[in-house]
């Protein structure tokens, strides 16, 4: 990538930030809030869903080194230019990959963070299962996505551009149920536009009587994504 290309891309980056700000959503400030709630972060960090690199930049600016993964080569190239503009490329390893089949061995990372990505996925619970697999036993998951008001705002922005913003039927309540069933301690925070969840392994098992039901398993298994029998067994363990 050339310097001219990076500078041209940065103008698009600033325009996107301004567009969201005009609707009342401050992209950089929301990322800082998420990291403030989750800090301190220690060890090896994996970001799921690079997008255009907003969270990547926020992490790198704080001095963290991380691996960031996205399925879209185009989006990640844009993110790489955004990171390059701020001189932070030496802190970030970019990977292309499938969120439902992460190309990392079990227990690779101390922190797995995913911001404004899960709503794009058809089977986010499978992605959560993969996050859990690559997380070390004493590691932490950081999940964040829009509130209903946040989604309404994003849908207006997309509509203004002639696009439709689709999202999954799953909610953060579903994710909390799944993680508690897997013996994670879950904490949730919310402001006007953003929900933030942090989850780490609980010391003791969670009692079944605080789990509403296991409908979430049925929903996942009835999804349109066909899983191998091995993956099904792994998910239901």
């Amino acid at each position: 990538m050339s310097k001219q290309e990076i500078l041209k891309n940065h103008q698009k980056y600033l325009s996107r930030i301004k567009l969201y700000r005009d609707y009342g959503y401050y992209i950089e400030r929301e990322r800082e809030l998420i990291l403030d709630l989750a800090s301190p972060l220690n060890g090896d960090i994996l970001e799921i869903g690079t997008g255009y690199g907003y969270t990547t930049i926020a992490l790198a600016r704080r001095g963290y080194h991380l691996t960031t993964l996205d399925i879209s080569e185009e989006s990640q190239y844009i993110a790489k230019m955004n990171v390059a503009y701020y001189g932070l490329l030496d802190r970030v390893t970019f990977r292309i990959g499938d969120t439902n089949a992460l190309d990392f061995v079990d227990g690779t990372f101390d922190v797995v963070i995913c911001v404004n990505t899960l709503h794009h996925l058809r089977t986010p619970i499978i992605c959560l299962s993969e996050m859990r697999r690559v997380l070390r036993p004493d590691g932490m998951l950081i999940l964040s996505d829009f509130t209903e008001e946040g989604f309404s705002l994003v849908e207006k922005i997309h509509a203004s551009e002639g696009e439709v913003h689709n999202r999954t039927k799953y909610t953060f309540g579903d994710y909390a149920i799944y993680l508690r069933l897997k013996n994670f301690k879950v904490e949730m925070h919310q402001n006007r536009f953003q929900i933030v969840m942090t989850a780490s392994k609980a010391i003791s098992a969670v009692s079944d009587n605080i789990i509403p039901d296991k409908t979430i398993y049925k929903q996942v298994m009835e999804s349109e994504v066909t899983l191998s029998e091995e993956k099904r067994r792994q998910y239901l363990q």
Side-chain angles (χ1 to χ4, degrees):
M1 64 185 77
S2 67
K3 183 177 180 180
Q4 183 178 4
E5 187 180 11
I6 291 171
L7 290 174
K8 183 178 180 180
N9 178 75
H10 185 64
Q11 292 307 309
K12 294 180 181 179
Y13 174 86
L14 294 178
S15 295
R16 197 70 182 167
I17 287 177
K18 182 181 182 302
L19 174 62
Y20 273 76
R21 187 172 64 242
D22 289 345
Y23 279 82
Y25 182 87
Y26 292 76
I27 291 175
E28 293 173 322
R29 188 169 71 187
E30 294 294 339
R31 295 308 193 278
E32 292 302 321
L33 170 68
I34 294 165
L35 297 186
D36 285 345
L37 287 171
S39 292
L41 306 182
N42 299 300
D44 297 312
I45 301 173
L46 171 66
E47 178 191 15
I48 299 292
T50 312
Y52 291 159
Y54 301 120
T55 304
T56 315
I57 291 169
L59 285 163
R61 276 177 163 172
R62 291 193 176 203
Y64 296 116
H65 289 75
L66 67 141
T67 298
T68 183
L69 178 141
D70 203 289
I71 198 167
S72 169
E73 292 187 23
E74 180 182 358
S75 293
Q76 201 167 73
Y77 185 70
I78 292 171
K80 190 176 292 187
M81 287 192 288
N82 288 331
V83 172
Y85 178 85
Y86 291 105
L88 300 170
L89 281 176
D90 61 326
R91 297 180 184 174
V92 183
T93 299
F94 291 89
R95 295 280 293 269
I96 299 297
D98 183 355
T99 58
N100 284 354
L102 298 177
D103 190 21
F104 303 104
V105 300
D106 296 2
T108 300
F109 297 97
D110 299 284
V111 176
V112 179
I113 182 169
C114 181
V115 177
N116 296 351
T117 295
L118 288 173
H119 73 267
H120 290 294
L121 307 181
R122 291 166 63 191
T123 54
I125 303 300
I126 303 302
C127 177
L128 280 180
S129 176
E130 281 292 274
M131 291 187 206
R132 189 172 58 84
R133 179 183 65 78
V134 302
L135 191 68
R136 291 185 178 128
D138 57 348
M140 177 171 61
L141 294 177
I142 306 165
L143 311 176
S144 185
D145 219 322
F146 299 111
T147 61
E148 285 304 314
E149 188 172 358
F151 277 119
S152 178
L153 179 148
V154 173
E155 286 160 7
K156 288 178 183 177
I157 292 174
H158 280 248
S160 74
E161 299 172 322
E163 299 179 356
V164 176
H165 184 255
N166 297 314
R167 57 167 161 150
T168 182
K169 62 185 176 181
Y170 296 99
T171 69
F172 262 54
D174 295 326
Y175 307 152
I177 290 171
Y178 170 75
L179 290 171
R180 284 172 178 148
L181 283 168
K182 296 301 181 181
N183 197 27
F184 276 75
K185 177 183 177 182
V186 174
E187 294 184 5
M188 296 180 67
H189 307 270
Q190 180 175 326
N191 64 10
R192 182 181 175 189
F193 294 122
Q194 207 78 32
I195 299 174
V196 182
M197 176 190 296
T198 58
S200 55
K201 275 288 189 179
I203 296 174
S204 57
V206 178
S207 172
D208 284 340
N209 62 15
I210 70 167
I211 303 299
D213 57 54
K214 297 186 179 181
T215 305
I216 195 168
Y217 287 141
K218 185 173 184 292
Q219 291 173 339
V220 171
M221 291 307 138
E222 289 177 349
S223 69
E224 295 178 3
V225 173
T226 302
L227 303 173
S228 67
E229 287 304 313
E230 179 181 357
K231 177 64 74 174
R232 288 175 186 268
R233 288 194 296 271
Q234 176 188 354
Y235 176 69
L236 291 172
Q237 285 178 353

